[in-house]
Amino acid sequence: MKSRFRWIAALLTILIGLFIGFSFNSRETQAAKKDSSVLKIGMEANYPPYNWTQPKKTNGAVPIDGSNSYANGYDVQIAKIIGKRLHKKVVVEKTQWDGLLPALTSGKIDLIIAGMSPTAERRKAINFSEPYRKSTFVVITNKASKYSNAKKLSDFKGAKLTAQQGTLHYDLIKQLKGAKREPAMRDFSAMRQSLASGTIDGYVAEDIEFESYHSVNPNIIAVNLNKMAGFHVDHDDSVTSIGVKKGNTKLLNEVNATLRTISNKKRDQLMSQAVKEQPKAGNETKKEDWLVTTWKQYGGMIMSGIGMTLLLALVGTIVGFFIGLLVGIVRTIPTPTTRGKRWALNFVKWLLSVYVEIFRGTPMMVQAAVIYYGIAQFWHLNLNRTIAALIIVSINTGAYLAEVIRGGIISTPEGQFEAASALGMTHNQRMWHIILPQAIRNCLPSITNEFIVNIKDTSVLSIISVSELFFVGTTIASQSFKFFPTYLMISAIYLILTFTITRIFNFIEKRLEGKKNYNLMANQVQVGTPKDAEANN
Amino acid sequence: MTESNEVILSLKHMQKSYGAHKVLKDISFDINKGEIVTIIGPSGGGKSTTLRCINLLEEPTDGEIDFHGENILAPGYNRNTFRSKVGMVFQQFDLFENKNVLENCMIGQELVLKRSKDEARKIAMENLKKVGMDPFIKAKPQQLSGGQQQRVAIARAISMNPEVLLFDEPTSALDPEMVGEVLDVMQKLATTGLTMVIVTHEMGFAKSISDRVLFISDGIITEQGSPDQIFDHPKNEKTQKFLSNFRKMDF
């Protein structure tokens, strides 16, 4: 018993240590958030040359909140001009494309500068500034492709085309009669990769994406769509604007005033500079050096990604375990003899089953989005991202483990309950001293399982931009354009983590089982178990 | 067998049914201080259920159980305190699997009676010595034989210093050669003046140890009286028939 407590104590100490380390980091950024002298810009930081992520603070990059990396690009340079005018320091909140609007409406960011077009649909949710970039639509395809000479819209008949998910580009494919519309993709790096590997014939994008990709891959060509007969795009759709929260007219006016001071010439200059500076897949040095260079460049990011993943999984599983214990205990309380208590207990039990049903019955990704953005929008509580992630993983795991532990409690022999009751123990004493130690030992394989699931499933938290291992992997892949090796490396890391943790838990399991032999107190003779004796016969 | 007239437990028209099936129809009897009562009767007649109702492991559906004159079935009655004064020894021993022999005997004392660790250990050791299990204090229950486990279970129960000790067929799950060691321990206990209620199929043992014997069948007490009355001059037909099965064996 004692040694078990020591185990738990040791685990907790490590945990708290980790947690303090992390929260120190995040507290700094949190302090920065509250500071009104900071302008928080939302962008993917993954859409060169508009915006991208880089590990060093070169070429006038600005820090990305909650990470050790920096953002740069055309959007960032525009943001800096606005920040300068407002006398505010620019900080980038790296946010996935789908998360940008909710992040703005819930007040987690001040502006969206992400190469976003002010479509009518988006205008319903947020306000847009005057355009800061006007673009031409093109189909990007290989020079060798038969579609590279297309002259009219119908020339794309039979072409497998795609575009970025949730963008106008994807709808434009419909105007290319006869083209096969492939499923939309998450970002341009994925499309570039697909084009290179031949799974698509081309993708719809803006001319600037062509310029930027052309600088690293000269074998591609852009087919201009704007000039083709019958091609129609709203003015709103062909420009990119800055998103501002509705009602914040003061900021909107200031942004517009700033944009007016930036001449077209200056804009072109900024854009071509961005195209030049953007990260390149490049004619990379030597192939065998890939791992080494990646490590040199992104090692820190990977390590902190591993740390974050482990922290989330560990805290989530442990807190979830205690939630599960409490739920398990409450759910097995015997019916009280007085009516009031009976009613209260039934109500609490009902609440708990609602909790289990809801969190077991919805995807963690959805829970994360609802909790992180929802709380900010409706209660104006700005949760720290890491804290939010920890809470989400914990309550989600709690719901699963509640059932696991209930199963463990039920499978403990009835006689153990009865013997404890007959001694006059209260429900709590019965549970903590007799039933749970046995139930938990029986549940341990399931708990290990849940821990491993957590290590992998925390990857869905990338939706709220928690920089865990998968998020880091995506970033590296989209910057290095090395999809296969990057994800292979990330999966190897996941495998190492889960493998190690399985061994650790197996060890704990063995320890909990205790010794097979015992000493007779009278003569100190070792005696085997009756089973051993039987085996010998 | 220091019998007095002080009534500790009193069952009044106790009934128990599972749905439509009535297991106990009407059970009434008193247990006096220092008395040793054995309950015999055919399987399924309600012996064990009666015993388990006394300890509230089963909830009686009707009737009353008075402990020192107070009805323990009343809402709000402190059942845990009551149970700590009424010990129980189970057919399947039911030692705590996660604790060793010594801890099994200490945990109730520490948690329920709030005794200090040292005191609890001292009492547990005394009682383990009484049942002859003191060399095994470090062993886990599954490492012991059935007879050894049952002796530990008895030590666990008496370490609580109960006013009444209930035995629910304590030897039925044992191999024949282990029955003796458990009965010996019980015999020894009987001489200490402890109040005991024993459900058993060991007729010879029941005859020699009891002050009073109850014969329960079909959910009612068919006959009760001194061991001589029940075993040698049973009046009821059912009792006679039941005992004639045993008479073929020697007791």
Side-chain angles (χ1 to χ4, degrees), chain B residues 106-141:
Chain B
M106 286 169 63
I107 181 115
Q109 301 184 59
E110 287 177 62
L111 292 179
V112 182
L113 304 180
K114 310 290 176 205
R115 285 179 184 155
S116 73
K117 217 175 190 91
D118 290 336
E119 197 190 355
R121 182 179 293 119
K122 204 178 129 240
I123 292 172
M125 283 306 293
E126 275 170 20
N127 289 318
L128 282 168
K129 208 165 268 172
K130 268 187 211 164
V131 301
M133 284 302 290
D134 51 318
F136 296 88
I137 55 173
K138 290 273 188 253
K140 285 281 174 71

Side-chain angles (χ1 to χ4, degrees), chain A residues 337 416 418 422 433 516 521, chain B residues 52 76 83 95 98 111 135 143:
Chain A
T337 47
Q416 300 288 309
E418 292 187 345
H433 294 273
K516 277 213 158 172
M521 292 326 273
Chain B
R52 289 165 61 83
R83 279 169 167 167
L95 291 178
N98 57 327
L111 292 179
Q143 296 165 325

Side-chain angles (χ1 to χ4, degrees), chain A residues 61-89:
Chain A
V62 302
I64 292 175
D65 188 24
S67 78
N68 299 325
S69 39
Y70 297 85
N72 206 346
Y74 180 69
D75 289 337
V76 173
Q77 296 311 320
I78 295 284
K80 279 174 77 177
I81 297 172
I82 295 171
K84 200 171 174 190
R85 169 142 175 155
L86 299 174
H87 303 293
K88 285 186 178 183
K89 194 171 164 278

Side-chain angles (χ1 to χ4, degrees), chain A residues 405 408-412 434-444:
Chain A
I405 287 167
I409 291 172
I410 290 171
S411 66
T412 307
I434 309 298
I435 306 302
L436 287 178
Q438 299 182 46
I440 289 167
R441 206 178 55 193
N442 292 337
C443 293
L444 212 58

